């Protein structure tokens, strides 16, 4: 005891700070802190996938009215079951079953606080001692952070830019061993803007079956496909290998702040039940939070009554924005885009540092860009690809053009002479 102060026995968990440092939010905070407060220009947010602030991306009145009606009904002021209320689970089962060769049951659906809690739930369930999981590179860093926090070993398979960011299936087979429990895919792709074909997804399922592992499919950007390749849910192949589908209303309805997600079992053969995964998953949900009950109460109306005109409008805006993004990138010599985006809200571009003076890596590029041009772009290191950048095109087209124009000006200022 010093100066009368007790010797306190509690300490913070430094592992949590280390895990959060590699998340998108953690790195974006670094960039935001580097903005020049004296720059009078509006900050252009090309670093994250939340277009809800832009009027052209406003959600449908059907969704807004459903929430208002749920609140005013006074039927959803209560606690809900840990897996979610039955009407919401039934509505989600019906919504997802439209694209499947079999019908889901409400018992296949677990509601979560956004897709992030679904990630947390399944990685916690799978984190038995010695287990490992296969993650895509590039990928969504929340998987890395949650796995590390749960002491679940991570191994990384490559996505192939010259093949439309398809999974390197040979690489998957080379990485797997007797302790491998699952592989993760994200389709439509974050951060790549890819959309996988039926044939490729079937090969993924066949590889998983061969290795004896499940497929965790992150479909939070489901149906946001705007080129020739249609969105196919991985659950179509649930009879080949067990599939856990993670999704939400966040992206398709442009309401990420509503925090309504799901974790759905696509397993007509019952392997997840036989191996105790479902029991463990329920155990996790029993000791964690669940989405606000009034949002759950609005889900049936949102899923059943939203008309196709709203979805078509969002797809058209994303397609136009993706075209603008791809075209403007061609005007910036120091970045190269290997593929035109086919879906989702992002594109990956390769940074050619040899053309720049005084910039050593992607993080320094993004920090200087934020300070000098008030443009936020996510460095590739955040998603597992050093000296690449992830750019979102899901903003107002005029703001997108402005932001990419500022990146071009930044390049011209820093280009080697």
């Amino acid at each position: 005891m010093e100066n009368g102060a007790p010797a306190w026995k509690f300490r913070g968990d430094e592992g949590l700070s280390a895990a959060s440092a590699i998340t998108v939010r953690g790195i974006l905070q670094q960039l935001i802190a580097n903005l020049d407060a004296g720059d009078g220009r509006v900050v252009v947010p090309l670093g994250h996938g939340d277009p809800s602030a832009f009027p052209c991306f406003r959600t449908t009145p059907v969704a807004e009215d459903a929430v208002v009606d749920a609140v005013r009904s006074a039927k959803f002021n209560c606690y809900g079951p840990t897996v979610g209320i039955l009407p919401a689970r039934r509505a989600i089962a019906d919504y997802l079953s439209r694209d499947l060769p079999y019908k889901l049951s409400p018992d296949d659906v677990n509601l979560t606080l956004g897709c992030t809690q679904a990630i947390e739930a399944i990685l916690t369930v799978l984190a038995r001692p010695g287990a490992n999981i296969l993650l895509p590179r590039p990928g969504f860093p929340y998987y890395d952070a949650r796995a590390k926090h749960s002491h679940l070993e991570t191994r990384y398979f490559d996505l192939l830019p010259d093949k439309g960011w398809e999974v390197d299936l040979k690489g998957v087979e080379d990485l797997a061993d007797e302790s491998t429990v699952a592989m993760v895919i994200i389709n439509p792709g974050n951060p790549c803007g890819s959309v996988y074909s039926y044939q490729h997804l079937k090969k993924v399922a066949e590889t998983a079956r061969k290795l004896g592992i499940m497929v965790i499919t992150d479909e939070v950007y489901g149906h946001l496909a705007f080129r020739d390749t249609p969105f196919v849910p991985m659950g179509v192949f649930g009879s080949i290998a067990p599939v856990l589908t993670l999704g939400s209303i966040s992206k398709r309805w442009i309401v990420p702040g509503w925090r309504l997600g799901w974790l759905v079992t696509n397993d007509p053969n019952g392997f997840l039940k036989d191996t105790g995964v479902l029991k463990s998953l329920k155990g996790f949900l029993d000791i964690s939070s669940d989405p606000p009950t009034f949002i759950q109460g609005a889900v049936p109306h949102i899923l059943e009554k939203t008309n196709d005109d709203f979805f078509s409008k969002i797809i058209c805006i994303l397609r136009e924005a993706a075209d603008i993004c791809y075209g403007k990138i061609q005007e910036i010599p120091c970045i190269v885009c290997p593929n035109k985006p086919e879906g989702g809200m992002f594109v990956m571009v390769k940074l050619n540092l040899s053309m720049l003076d005084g910039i050593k890596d992607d993080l320094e590029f993004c920090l200087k860009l934020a300070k000098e041009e008030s443009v936020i772009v996510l460095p590739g290191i955040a998603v597992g690809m050093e000296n690449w950048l992830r750019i979102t095109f899901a903003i107002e087209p005029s703001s997108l053009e402005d932001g990419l124009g500022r990146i071009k000006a930044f390049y011209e200022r820093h280009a080697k002479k």
Side-chain angles (χ1 to χ4, degrees):
M1 184 179 295
E2 185 177 344
N3 297 325
W8 300 115
K9 297 181 176 64
F10 46 81
R11 293 285 186 276
D13 182 353
E14 295 180 0
L16 282 174
S17 299
S20 66
I22 63 171
T23 63
V24 170
R25 287 181 179 180
I27 290 181
L28 288 177
Q29 286 304 312
Q30 291 184 51
L31 300 176
I32 291 168
N34 214 47
L35 290 167
D36 180 359
D39 189 338
R41 294 175 295 178
V42 173
V43 176
V44 181
L46 301 180
H48 65 102
D50 181 3
S52 61
F54 297 98
C56 67
F57 281 101
R58 182 168 177 169
T59 193
T60 170
V62 170
E64 296 171 344
D65 292 344
V67 172
V68 171
D69 291 345
V71 171
R72 287 181 172 164
S73 74
K75 296 177 181 178
F76 305 105
N77 296 334
C78 55
Y79 293 121
T82 56
V83 295
I85 64 174
L86 179 59
R89 290 187 290 116
R90 181 184 293 117
I92 292 168
D94 291 345
Y95 167 71
L96 296 177
S97 294
R98 298 173 195 169
D99 301 314
L100 298 174
Y102 52 89
K103 186 168 178 57
L104 293 170
S105 156
D107 292 337
D108 296 319
V109 178
N110 304 276
L111 299 191
T112 57
L113 271 166
C115 197
T116 51
Q117 192 191 35
I119 296 170
E120 178 183 352
I122 189 54
L123 295 193
T124 303
V125 165
L126 294 177
R128 56 179 172 77
N132 68 74
I133 188 169
L134 310 183
L135 302 180
R137 181 173 54 204
F140 182 51
Y142 193 74
Y143 285 94
D144 308 67
R146 284 306 319 180
K148 285 178 172 60
H149 182 61
S150 299
H151 307 291
L152 177 61
E153 180 191 346
T154 52
R155 300 179 181 182
Y156 300 92
F157 58 86
D158 290 326
L159 304 182
L160 306 172
D162 58 337
K163 293 186 177 180
W165 298 104
E166 287 188 346
V167 174
D168 178 3
L169 292 173
K170 182 180 184 306
V172 168
E173 293 194 34
D174 291 342
L175 286 170
D177 62 18
E178 290 303 311
S179 297
T180 304
V181 292
M183 65 179 292
V184 172
I185 65 167
I186 304 173
N187 183 50
N190 173 12
C192 302
S194 53
V195 178
Y196 292 149
S197 68
Y198 179 98
Q199 292 78 10
H200 184 61
L201 292 172
K202 185 177 181 182
K203 290 177 182 177
V204 169
E206 290 168 347
T207 300
R209 182 181 181 89
K210 178 179 178 180
L211 298 173
I213 63 177
M214 73 171 71
V215 179
I216 300 169
T217 179
D218 185 327
E219 296 177 359
V220 71
Y221 293 92
H223 294 281
L224 297 184
F226 43 77
R227 304 284 181 209
D228 295 333
T229 305
F231 167 68
V232 177
M234 188 70 207
V236 166
F237 308 101
S239 60
I240 297 176
V243 173
L244 279 173
T245 299
L246 282 52
S248 77
I249 61 172
S250 297
K251 307 300 183 181
R252 197 180 189 198
W253 276 267
I254 322 292
V255 288
W258 292 10
R259 312 311 298 140
L260 191 288
W262 53 77
L263 194 162
V264 174
T265 55
N266 299 99
D267 183 31
N269 295 315
F271 297 130
L272 296 173
K273 180 180 179 180
D274 295 344
T275 53
V277 171
L278 297 189
K279 183 178 180 181
S280 296
L281 179 60
K282 185 178 184 306
F284 175 88
L285 295 173
D286 282 344
I287 59 170
S288 61
S289 302
D290 43 277
T293 312
F294 71 90
I295 298 291
Q296 297 184 46
V299 164
H301 192 86
I302 292 172
L303 297 187
E304 293 163 11
K305 300 300 182 180
T306 301
N307 60 50
D308 288 340
D309 289 345
F310 169 73
F311 296 134
S312 297
K313 183 194 82 167
I314 296 299
I315 289 295
C316 287
I317 294 170
L318 288 173
R319 183 188 300 113
E320 177 190 355
D323 288 343
I324 292 170
C325 186
Y326 186 77
K328 291 294 181 182
I329 285 170
Q330 311 309 310
E331 301 174 8
I332 307 171
C334 67
I335 56 177
V336 177
C337 183
N339 295 283
K340 199 171 189 178
E342 294 191 340
M345 297 181 177
F346 304 102
V347 64
M348 287 292 288
V349 297
K350 187 170 179 57
L351 183 60
N352 186 349
L353 293 169
S354 69
M355 302 182 71
L356 298 167
D357 194 19
I359 297 176
K360 67 177 185 295
D361 58 28
D362 55 318
L363 180 57
E364 186 175 14
F365 179 95
C366 293
L367 286 167
K368 287 187 173 182
L369 179 66
K371 190 172 189 64
E372 296 178 22
E373 295 291 346
S374 293
V375 175
I376 302 294
V377 168
L378 192 72
I381 193 172
V383 295
M385 292 279 278
E386 187 176 359
N387 297 331
W388 286 67
L389 306 172
R390 188 191 77 171
I391 299 175
T392 181
F393 48 82
I395 69 171
E396 290 273 11
S398 60
S399 297
L400 178 62
E401 292 195 51
D402 180 25
L404 291 166
R406 294 189 206 176
I407 296 175
K408 182 179 179 181
F410 178 83
Y411 158 74
E412 290 170 347
R413 191 163 54 253
H414 289 275
K416 285 185 177 178
K417 308 303 181 189

